[in-house]
Amino acid sequence: MTAGEDPTGRTSASPPPQPAATDDIHSSTTSSSSTTTPITASFHHHQIRSSFPDCQSVRGHEGFVQPSSYLRPRGLSHPMAPAQPERAIDREERQGLSAIRNFLKVRTSYDVLPLSFRLIIFDTSLSVKESIVSAPLWDSKSSTFAGLLTTSDYINVIQYYFQNPAALDQIDQFRLDSLRDVERALGVAPPETISIDPERPLYEACRRMLQSRARRIPLVTNDSQTDRSHVLSVVTQYRILKFVAVNVSETQKLKKPLGELRLGSYQNLATASMDTPVIDMIHILVERSISSVPILNSEGVVYNVFEAVDVITLIKGGVYGDLSLTVGEALKKRPQDFPGIYTCSLNDGLDTIFDTIRKSRVHRLVVVDDNFRLKGVLTLSDILQYILLEGENDELS
C-alpha cells in the first residue's frame, strides 16, 4: 500500500496496523520564498548526490530574621534599570511559539498520521540481514512491544564485528534479540524503550522524545478486551514538524535569525573529508552521539554530509568487514533518489525553515556562509526543543 497524506493537513482514522512503516513523504525542492537551500546537481562542486565523488530563591519563615543579619552592613541600594520595550520581532516570536505549543496540546499523536500508511514491525527472532530498516520490534514469545530498531543498533553491530573479525562470517545469523548482548560487549547503555498512547496530546509525545533524545516514538495502544499492546505506527520528529508547518500559520511569525537565537551547534563541530575511512566516521558518530558529520574540502567548503543512515546502505550492500573504504566511496552507494543536503544561513529565521520542512523531506540543515563554508549544524531536535521550551517559564509565570 503506498503512503499518502492530505495536503491540507487533515487526517482521519487510519486502517488497522499492517505489517510494515516508513515515512512516505516525497522530497521536493524549496520554493523561491524560502532561503533554505537543498544542494542539488546544479550546484557544481556543492552537489550532494551519490554521483558526486565526492534561580531558585530560599525563603525563611515570614517575620523571622537571622540574628547575624543585624551585624552585617547593609549594601547601598541600586535602582533597577528600566525595562526595555519589547521589540516587535520578539513579540511576534513569542506569539508564534505560544500558538505552536497550544496546537500541540490540543492535537493528539494520532492526528499526525496520514490518511494511509504502512507499518513495518520486526519480530526479534529475525536476523539483521532481514531487517535493514528502522522499525518497531515485537517479542512474539511474550507478545509485547520490545522497543525500536534504529540506525544506532546497526552501528553497534558494525563496531562489534569490526572488533571481533573472527565472528564476521556469522553476521548473517545474527538475530535482533541479540542486540542487548552487543551493547553489553561494547559497554553501550541500552536505549530507553519509550512509547505513547496515540490518544495522548502531541505535546506530551514531543516532551518524551526530548527527554529520551529519541528522534521517533512508537504509538502503542492497549486492547482493553485482550489486555495486549498493539503498535499502531511510529511518529518521527520530521512528521511532527511538518504537521506543525502545514497547520499552524503562526510559524510565519518566527522571524528572529538563527544568528541571534544561536539555535543549533556551532562550536567544536565534528567534520571529515572525502578520504576519511568509514570506520572513523562510525566512531565519531558514536563518541559524539550525533547522527551526521559534515564533509569539507581543504578550504572548509561543505561538500557533503555523512549520515548515520548511510551505514544502513552499506549493510544492505553487504559491506561489513571492509570498513576502510573512504567516505567518498561510501556515498557513491546512496540511492539515486537521495534528496540532497539542505543548507541555511545565520540570517534565516525558523519561518523559512518551516516552509522548507512543509515542502521537502528535511532531517537537518547545514548552516553555511555566502561561500558555503561551514558555520554550524541545525537538527530537527534543535528546532523541536526550541519551540517547546524557549520562554516556557515566562508563559507559566
Side-chain angles (χ1 to χ4, degrees):
M1 179 189 303
T2 57
E5 182 171 342
D6 191 333
T8 66
R10 297 192 299 271
T11 58
S12 64
S14 25
Q18 299 295 325
T22 52
D23 250 341
D24 294 310
I25 302 176
H26 298 290
S27 301
S28 61
T29 56
T30 312
S31 69
S32 58
S33 62
S34 172
T35 57
T36 50
T37 310
I39 302 178
T40 61
S42 60
F43 278 90
H44 305 292
H45 66 283
H46 300 134
Q47 153 71 357
I48 301 302
R49 296 185 181 276
S50 57
S51 59
F52 198 100
D54 335 264
C55 311
Q56 175 182 17
S57 60
V58 179
R59 299 184 58 189
H61 297 291
E62 295 292 344
F64 285 82
V65 180
Q66 294 292 334
S68 60
S69 65
Y70 290 109
L71 306 177
R72 298 192 185 106
R74 294 180 180 272
L76 296 177
S77 61
H78 297 281
M80 294 181 62
Q84 295 297 320
E86 185 178 35
R87 299 182 305 170
I89 192 172
D90 294 329
R91 181 172 59 254
E92 288 201 346
E93 190 87 5
R94 175 171 50 79
Q95 292 171 347
L97 293 175
S98 179
I100 293 173
R101 290 167 192 163
N102 290 336
F103 174 79
L104 293 173
K105 290 174 181 178
V106 299
R107 303 303 290 266
T108 68
S109 301
Y110 185 85
D111 293 333
V112 182
L113 301 181
L115 292 175
S116 61
F117 61 91
R118 297 181 304 157
L119 178 65
I120 296 173
I121 301 178
F122 289 135
D123 193 294
T124 54
S125 63
L126 285 174
S127 68
V128 170
K129 187 177 181 180
E130 297 174 292
S131 56
I132 308 300
V133 72
S134 179
L137 295 175
W138 186 260
D139 189 334
S140 57
K141 295 179 181 178
S142 60
S143 296
T144 57
F145 169 64
L148 197 64
L149 182 65
T150 69
T151 53
S152 295
D153 293 310
Y154 296 112
I155 289 175
N156 288 340
V157 170
I158 286 183
Q159 285 199 113
Y160 175 77
Y161 283 101
F162 181 78
Q163 295 177 14
N164 300 275
L168 188 59
D169 58 351
Q170 302 174 7
I171 193 169
D172 288 341
Q173 285 75 48
F174 183 87
R175 301 193 312 175
L176 296 179
D177 54 12
S178 299
L179 289 173
R180 305 292 83 88
D181 296 332
V182 168
E183 290 164 355
R184 284 190 290 269
L186 294 174
V188 176
E192 181 181 355
T193 301
I194 65 167
S195 64
I196 193 169
D197 187 282
E199 297 297 337
R200 297 299 301 166
L202 188 55
Y203 181 86
E204 186 178 326
C206 293
R207 292 300 294 254
R208 289 195 186 183
M209 293 172 76
L210 290 180
Q211 291 165 1
S212 64
R213 300 188 65 188
R215 297 181 181 90
R216 58 191 69 217
I217 186 170
L219 305 185
V220 180
T221 185
N222 189 70
D223 190 323
S224 57
Q225 296 182 346
T226 63
D227 196 30
R228 288 188 174 184
S229 297
H230 295 283
V231 182
L232 178 63
S233 187
V234 176
V235 173
T236 65
Q237 290 180 343
Y238 165 71
R239 184 167 293 279
I240 291 174
L241 293 175
K242 180 182 176 69
F243 187 61
V244 169
V246 170
N247 293 283
V248 184
S249 61
E250 287 84 354
T251 57
Q252 294 306 303
K253 292 185 175 183
L254 306 181
K255 298 181 181 297
K256 293 181 70 172
L258 296 180
E260 182 176 341
L261 297 176
R262 300 308 290 177
L263 184 59
S265 300
Y266 299 90
Q267 302 295 327
N268 194 27
L269 295 173
T271 62
S273 72
M274 285 290 193
D275 296 326
T276 303
V278 168
I279 189 60
D280 290 353
M281 300 296 289
I282 292 176
H283 292 329
I284 292 174
L285 294 174
V286 174
E287 292 168 1
R288 295 288 194 100
S289 294
I290 54 179
S291 60
S292 65
V293 178
I295 309 301
L296 314 180
N297 69 359
S298 59
E299 298 178 353
V301 172
V302 178
Y303 260 23
N304 215 309
V305 174
F306 185 88
E307 305 176 354
V309 71
D310 289 316
V311 176
I312 295 182
T313 303
L314 295 178
I315 297 178
K316 281 182 178 179
V319 179
Y320 297 102
D322 187 16
L323 296 177
S324 60
L325 78 166
T326 66
V327 166
E329 293 170 326
L331 296 185
K332 291 178 182 178
K333 301 180 184 297
R334 280 176 170 167
Q336 291 299 316
D337 61 352
F338 179 74
I341 302 303
Y342 287 80
T343 68
C344 62
S345 77
L346 290 171
N347 295 321
D348 285 319
L350 285 181
D351 56 341
T352 59
I353 291 172
F354 267 110
D355 276 342
T356 302
I357 292 173
R358 179 167 54 86
K359 300 168 185 176
S360 307
R361 189 166 184 162
V362 182
H363 296 289
R364 67 189 54 79
L365 296 99
V366 181
V367 186
V368 297
D369 63 15
D370 293 340
N371 296 312
F372 280 87
R373 289 187 175 88
L374 178 67
K375 304 298 292 185
V377 176
L378 178 66
T379 68
L380 298 190
S381 295
D382 295 326
I383 298 174
L384 191 62
Q385 179 168 334
Y386 177 75
I387 65 174
L388 257 67
L389 304 182
E390 178 65 24
E392 182 185 43
N393 292 336
D394 296 335
E395 290 185 358
L396 297 176
S397 60

